Amino acid sequence: MKLNAKYKAILNYVIGPILFVVLAFTIYQKIKEQPHLAQCWQEISQTFIQNRSLLLLMLVLMCGNWALEAWKWKILVSFVQKVSFGKACKSVLSGLSFSLFIPNGFGEYLGRMLYMDEGNRLRSIAISFVNAICKLIATLFFGFIGLIILLKKMPSLSHTPIQLSHFWIHVLIYSVGFGLALCLLFYFRISLFVKWFKKIPFVYKHRKLINSLEAFKFSLLMRILLISFLRYAIFVAQYILAFYLFNLVIPTGTAVWLVTLLLLLMVIIPTIPIAELGIRGEVGIKVFGLVSSNTLGIVSATGFIWLINILLPALVGSLFVLSLKIFKKNMQENKIGKEI
């Protein structure tokens, strides 16, 4: 257990920062090599200043995006504990703040668990798992479509500096399709799988943690999935607006399927929280570089999306975390200990 903790510490605080620096330097070099860099930067600055309404619209979409996630969480967790919409919003944003430092989605689970009553926190993990599967289905579904469109357009992309292989695109399509089919099967038959799992002695011993999943009917699961699809559409819309905001000229239809590829790759590629911004920029250059040579605009757009969709809400979530009684209690105990 100590070795595992030590490994995670090295991954987050040593390898993560090094990877971020390497990616940041690589992106900087690519931006530096871009032709007419000064002119591009001036055009981006002018477009950004002249389109403040787009910035406001993106912020509104961000609020709508996380409000939908809170609504979805409120519905899901109601099978374990009734929570208000306001509390659901706080738990979602708090989970987002933890996810900046704890990888693989564990930070998100931890932040949401803090708002559950004692005795219900472990039960909420199963709910979080269903929520993660739901979001994964949305990403795989639209990413699968994006890959098929990419395959059809590959002959027209042959002149790009990024080399594409029909073989590996086919491998990725079949892999994503297979993963999507498995996720859909598990998601819509989750009550049946729970009954099977409970036949395992260890699982049966802790059956209280997953009993709530048996109440998930098809109509409810479809409702939750539609909310995830709507959130996905908001993400895509924000990218389209960001392209216009940073003077990245890509036809809307092409931009949509390229964004689906970006979001798919961000799920497939393992990331470290502190290096995620750099990874997003590098992947964005590879994907959007298929149709645009404006590296500065690509990096600016992907970075700005991360800023308003992840960092800004996470900062708000950190304020909610500090307001929790459990943290206030610890702070008071530390203060008393120092006085003694």
Side-chain angles (χ1 to χ4, degrees):
M1 189 71 179
K2 290 182 179 179
L3 181 63
N4 189 33
K6 183 179 179 181
Y7 170 76
K8 288 182 179 179
I10 293 174
L11 185 66
N12 285 319
Y13 302 112
V14 179
I15 298 179
I18 292 174
L19 180 60
F20 175 77
V21 171
V22 171
L23 288 172
F25 180 75
T26 302
I27 292 172
Y28 169 75
Q29 290 286 49
K30 290 183 179 180
I31 292 176
K32 191 176 178 181
E33 294 171 0
Q34 178 178 319
H36 311 296
L37 179 60
Q39 182 182 350
C40 289
W41 179 250
Q42 185 178 3
E43 290 175 354
I44 287 176
S45 301
Q46 291 177 351
T47 305
F48 194 88
I49 293 173
Q50 294 172 359
N51 295 278
R52 293 179 181 176
S53 58
L54 288 182
L55 174 60
L56 179 61
L57 179 56
M58 292 181 70
L59 291 173
V60 170
L61 288 174
M62 178 269 288
C63 294
N65 176 25
W66 290 111
L68 284 172
E69 178 63 19
W71 179 36
K72 183 173 60 171
W73 178 248
K74 179 180 182 297
I75 296 171
L76 285 170
V77 83
S78 64
F79 291 92
V80 174
Q81 174 185 319
K82 300 292 183 181
V83 297
S84 65
F85 178 73
K87 193 171 185 178
C89 286
K90 291 180 180 180
S91 65
V92 166
L93 294 179
S94 297
L96 187 62
S97 65
F98 275 99
S99 68
L100 289 180
F101 306 98
I102 306 176
N104 301 325
F106 293 117
E108 185 177 336
Y109 301 153
L110 176 61
R112 297 188 184 196
M113 284 170 57
L114 294 175
Y115 286 85
M116 302 297 292
D117 294 338
E118 197 71 35
N120 290 333
R121 288 172 182 167
L122 291 179
R123 295 174 64 194
S124 69
I125 295 179
I127 303 296
S128 296
F129 179 71
V130 174
N131 187 42
I133 291 292
C134 186
K135 291 190 285 187
L136 180 60
I137 288 173
T139 304
L140 293 178
F141 176 77
F142 290 106
F144 181 75
I145 297 174
L147 284 171
I148 292 175
I149 296 174
L150 173 65
L151 189 63
K152 291 182 177 180
K153 289 183 175 290
M154 281 186 69
S156 63
L157 298 174
S158 58
H159 64 281
T160 62
I162 300 175
Q163 297 297 319
L164 295 173
S165 167
H166 277 80
F167 172 77
W168 289 113
I169 294 297
H170 274 102
V171 169
L172 191 55
I173 288 175
Y174 287 121
S175 299
V176 172
F178 180 71
L180 176 61
L182 286 180
C183 288
L184 286 170
L185 177 63
F186 179 81
Y187 181 74
F188 285 112
R189 290 291 182 267
I190 190 167
S191 59
L192 181 61
F193 279 104
V194 168
K195 291 178 181 178
W196 289 348
F197 290 152
K198 287 199 294 187
K199 294 180 180 180
I200 303 173
F202 175 78
V203 176
Y204 183 79
K205 185 178 178 181
H206 302 281
R207 60 189 181 279
K208 289 184 179 180
L209 302 180
I210 61 174
N211 277 340
S212 59
L213 300 184
E214 293 187 84
F216 284 23
K217 305 302 180 183
F218 180 85
S219 58
L220 172 69
L221 292 171
M222 181 58 73
R223 181 183 176 191
I224 297 300
L225 186 58
L226 289 176
I227 295 175
S228 290
F229 279 10
L230 183 56
R231 286 194 68 218
Y232 191 95
I234 289 177
F235 273 121
V236 174
Q238 285 180 311
Y239 270 99
I240 302 303
L241 293 175
F243 293 161
Y244 188 81
L245 192 63
F246 290 98
N247 205 35
L248 192 60
V249 183
I250 302 176
T252 303
T254 302
V256 168
W257 67 264
L258 285 176
V259 172
T260 65
L261 291 179
L262 174 69
L263 296 177
L264 175 65
L265 292 174
M266 288 305 301
V267 167
I268 295 175
I269 299 172
T271 59
I272 302 171
I274 197 169
E276 184 177 347
L277 180 57
I279 294 173
R280 281 177 179 268
E282 184 64 27
V283 175
I285 291 173
K286 297 294 184 184
V287 173
F288 302 122
L290 292 170
V291 295
S292 175
S293 60
N294 186 359
T295 306
L296 179 60
I298 293 172
V299 173
S300 300
T302 54
F304 189 68
I305 289 292
W306 182 85
L307 176 68
I308 66 170
N309 268 345
I310 306 297
L311 184 59
L312 185 59
L315 291 176
V316 176
S318 66
L319 299 178
F320 291 141
V321 171
L322 293 175
S323 67
L324 284 171
K325 292 181 179 180
I326 184 173
F327 288 96
K328 285 184 177 179
K329 184 179 179 181
N330 290 337
M331 292 172 65
Q332 290 175 353
E333 289 176 351
N334 292 335
K335 185 178 181 180
I336 294 172
K338 290 180 180 180
E339 290 177 351
I340 294 175

